[in-house]
Amino acid sequence: MADSSQPTPEPAQAPLPTAPSLSELRLPINQLAKVNAALAGALGEAGIGGQELNGLFAAGVKATCVACGLGLTGTELGELALAASEDHDRRLSPRLEKLRLGECPRNGCESRFYQVVLTAPGRFDRGWVLGRTQQLIAGKREPLLSMRPSLSPETRRTTRRLAGIALATFFVAFVAYRLVFFRSQPIPFVQPKSPFTVEPTSIDPSQR
Ligand SMILES: [Zn+2]
């Protein structure tokens, strides 16, 4: 009974894509708008989704200027991503507007690079997540695919159950159809035309 306190093991996950382990992710400022989607993609692959992912973005992600140390929150990174995606008339704060143009908002700071840091504790490999984020920003694969709000086990189970029900329904309908089909035949396996019918042309005229 020594191991009874151990939590139930997680369902086996697909092997993670190979990515370098980074202690820090340094990016040009004009790439910051891509961090949100890429990081969400990497975390999704690491098995982080839903509430946990939201919480992480709210409090566990930070980007800081490599020169002056000015900090951005995960929420601000999200706003940058939104502004880059479509709504150009979306009003950004002056500070985010400056970042959107690729510059550090701090007066007099000439830096063009920010460093993304994961500050929240989590049950994932931070180095891998940062490395994978870098890959996704570089366009290794469309990160939006993995951003689907974790249609996790429950949804998948429901889908499978529905598919089973549909299959069973189809089978019952098929059997019912076959039964009705055979019952509607006058007599099974008898051709409508009698085999004893004689073709008039086949009769020898001399025998008439
Ligand atoms: Zn700066």
Side-chain angles (χ1 to χ4, degrees):
M1 307 299 127
D3 283 331
S4 60
S5 64
Q6 210 148 5
T8 42
E10 302 259 318
Q13 282 177 7
L16 296 174
T18 46
S21 183
L22 298 181
S23 55
E24 58 164 55
L25 175 57
R26 186 178 278 234
L27 291 169
I29 293 174
N30 60 16
Q31 302 272 292
L32 284 177
K34 297 179 181 173
V35 168
N36 221 45
L39 190 55
L43 286 167
E45 287 174 341
I48 314 287
Q51 283 301 318
E52 201 178 351
L53 188 66
N54 292 338
L56 225 146
F57 272 104
V61 180
K62 216 170 68 168
T64 51
C65 177
V66 297
C68 72
L70 185 73
L72 289 178
T73 63
T75 311
E76 286 175 312
L77 287 174
E79 285 181 47
L80 270 180
L82 266 181
S85 64
E86 53 212 84
D87 317 334
H88 261 288
D89 29 323
R90 191 187 171 80
R91 186 124 343 161
L92 285 175
S93 64
R95 156 188 162 102
L96 289 184
E97 185 57 35
K98 201 112 188 266
L99 284 164
R100 198 174 68 81
L101 299 173
E103 297 168 19
C104 178
R106 171 108 57 196
N107 266 342
C109 181
E110 298 283 307
S111 169
R112 293 290 177 268
F113 288 88
Y114 266 58
Q115 178 182 330
V116 178
V117 189
L118 296 175
T119 56
R123 53 182 178 82
F124 52 86
D125 179 346
R126 243 161 273 228
W128 180 88
V129 167
L130 287 181
R132 183 62 180 154
T133 302
Q134 186 184 49
Q135 282 185 343
L136 292 174
I137 288 174
K140 283 248 164 151
R141 206 191 332 126
E142 185 53 63
L144 287 177
L145 281 180
S146 28
M147 275 189 74
R148 273 178 303 175
S150 51
L151 294 179
S152 52
E154 257 156 85
T155 319
R156 233 173 292 144
R157 229 172 291 140
T158 312
T159 312
R160 217 175 302 148
R161 203 177 313 138
L162 284 178
I165 291 171
L167 204 70
T169 309
F170 175 77
F171 179 72
V172 169
F174 178 73
V175 169
Y177 163 77
R178 295 301 291 188
L179 284 177
V180 169
F181 176 78
F182 279 122
R183 219 171 285 156
S184 67
Q185 294 277 326
I187 309 158
F189 312 118
V190 172
Q191 283 120 1
K193 188 170 133 190
S194 164
F196 303 109
T197 310
V198 177
E199 284 284 321
T201 49
S202 67
I203 298 169
D204 187 350
S206 61
Q207 285 191 349
R208 247 197 273 207

